[in-house]
């Protein structure tokens, strides 16, 4: 199917639908898309919109583990976060996760086996990662990031900086960190249940992609690396950027 004028991402588990932003207009510096959220039936090419208002979204809508719910982000024109909205495929709102004043929720991601959502929390003094449980209606776990190196300058702050990944069993979240003191940079593996964090050390690590048997791939500078989430040193695979399993 050919569906013009949309940005797409976020396949349903059965591979029959994909989330879209219709009339997609890119925000500067890769901060998201402005348009109307919805999804496409890939067998027919029919677009189903879940609203009528166009607004910025960090990513197109994403389906949950059983394909019954969609995660939609709402971002104001000035880049401030208006929160995460959970809808069904018909566009009915089921839950809303709103950040406190002055706080930004970045790059939310469904867990692979439950209605939990992991995301980065941008706060001036205590940036961290969090997991929200839809059934509990609350954030149920938080993980702090290492101390920032005061000699490193700031960056654009777009949500793409905070992309994370879930392990395939839904036990751990993986996130990259590049702004810390020596010995704290690389891909961190956070066991959500126990709070334990382990480091796959690397310089300039990009967004991680979880693989089988506890492995993770990521880019580091201009190279693609593979690491063991048990904590071993990563190995070089090839030149390249932004690998996925």
């Amino acid at each position: 199917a050919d569906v013009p004028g949309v940005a797409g991402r976020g396949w349903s588990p059965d591979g029959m639908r994909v989330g879209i932003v219709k009339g997609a207009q890119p925000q500067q510096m890769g901060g998201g898309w402005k348009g109307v959220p919805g999804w496409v039936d890939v067998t027919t090419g029919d677009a189903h919109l879940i609203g009528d208002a166009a607004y910025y979204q960090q990513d197109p809508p994403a389906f949950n583990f059983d394909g019954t719910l969609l995660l939609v982000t709402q971002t104001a024109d000035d880049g401030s976060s208006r929160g995460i909205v959970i809808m069904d495929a018909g566009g009915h709102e089921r839950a809303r996760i709103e950040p406190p004043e002055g706080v930004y929720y970045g790059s939310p991601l469904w867990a692979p086996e439950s209605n939990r959502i992991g995301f980065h929390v941008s706060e001036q003094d205590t940036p961290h990662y969090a997991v929200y449980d839809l059934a509990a209606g609350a954030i149920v776990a938080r993980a702090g990031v290492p101390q920032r190196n005061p000699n490193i300058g700031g960056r654009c702050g777009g949500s793409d900086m905070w992309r994370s990944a879930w392990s395939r069993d839904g036990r751990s979240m993986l996130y990259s960190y590049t702004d810390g003191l020596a010995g704290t940079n690389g891909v961190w593996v956070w066991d959500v249940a126990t709070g334990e964090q382990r480091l796959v050390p690397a310089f300039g690590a990009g967004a991680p992609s979880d693989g089988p048997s506890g492995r993770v791939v990521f880019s580091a500078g201009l190279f693609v690396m593979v690491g063991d989430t048990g904590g071993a040193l990563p190995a070089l695979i090839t030149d390249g950027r932004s690998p996925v399993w």
Side-chain angles (χ1 to χ4, degrees):
D2 183 11
V3 186
V6 305
R9 191 179 181 187
W11 288 91
S12 62
D14 60 8
M16 303 304 291
R17 295 165 292 167
V18 64
I20 61 166
V21 178
K22 186 168 180 60
Q25 304 173 36
Q27 194 179 41
Q28 292 183 355
M29 295 188 295
W33 301 92
K34 186 173 186 178
V36 181
W39 54 275
V40 162
D41 183 324
V42 299
T43 60
T44 65
D46 293 337
H48 301 262
L49 302 182
I50 51 176
D52 52 14
Y55 49 84
Y56 279 111
Q57 299 154 65
Q58 295 177 34
D59 288 302
F63 286 92
N64 69 334
F65 75 105
D66 62 6
T68 60
L69 297 173
L70 283 158
L71 182 159
V72 181
T73 53
Q74 294 185 341
T75 304
D77 288 356
D78 64 1
S80 60
S81 175
R82 296 191 301 195
I84 301 166
V85 182
I86 308 303
M87 299 181 179
D88 62 24
H92 303 100
E93 184 174 318
R94 300 303 186 190
R96 182 176 290 265
I97 310 168
E98 295 183 327
E101 183 74 23
V103 176
Y104 187 90
Y105 290 165
S107 295
L109 184 68
W110 286 112
E113 53 23 286
S114 64
N115 284 326
R116 293 177 299 155
I117 302 165
F119 49 87
H120 182 270
V121 181
S122 294
E123 288 186 277
Q124 184 173 4
D125 299 323
T126 56
H128 59 278
Y129 284 83
V131 170
Y132 183 97
D133 187 291
L134 203 59
I139 291 175
V140 295
R142 299 178 187 267
V145 300
Q147 178 183 349
R148 182 178 174 83
N149 186 335
N151 298 314
I152 294 178
R155 293 185 284 165
C156 70
S159 61
D160 283 354
M161 292 169 49
W162 315 119
R163 294 214 180 276
S164 57
W166 283 91
S167 62
R168 297 189 177 195
D169 60 5
R171 181 177 179 87
S172 301
M173 277 190 67
L174 291 73
Y175 65 89
S176 61
Y177 193 73
T178 62
D179 297 337
L181 301 168
T184 66
N185 294 313
V187 174
W188 284 92
V189 185
W190 167 34
D191 186 313
V192 174
T194 68
E196 177 191 3
Q197 296 201 63
R198 305 182 304 278
L199 175 65
V200 179
F203 177 78
S209 179
D210 185 69
S213 304
R215 290 176 292 172
V216 58
V217 290
F218 57 92
S219 56
L222 299 176
F223 303 100
V224 174
M225 313 289 289
V226 62
D228 181 345
T229 58
L233 289 171
L236 172 67
I237 297 179
T238 184
D239 299 346
R241 299 293 299 273
S242 303
V244 294
W245 282 100

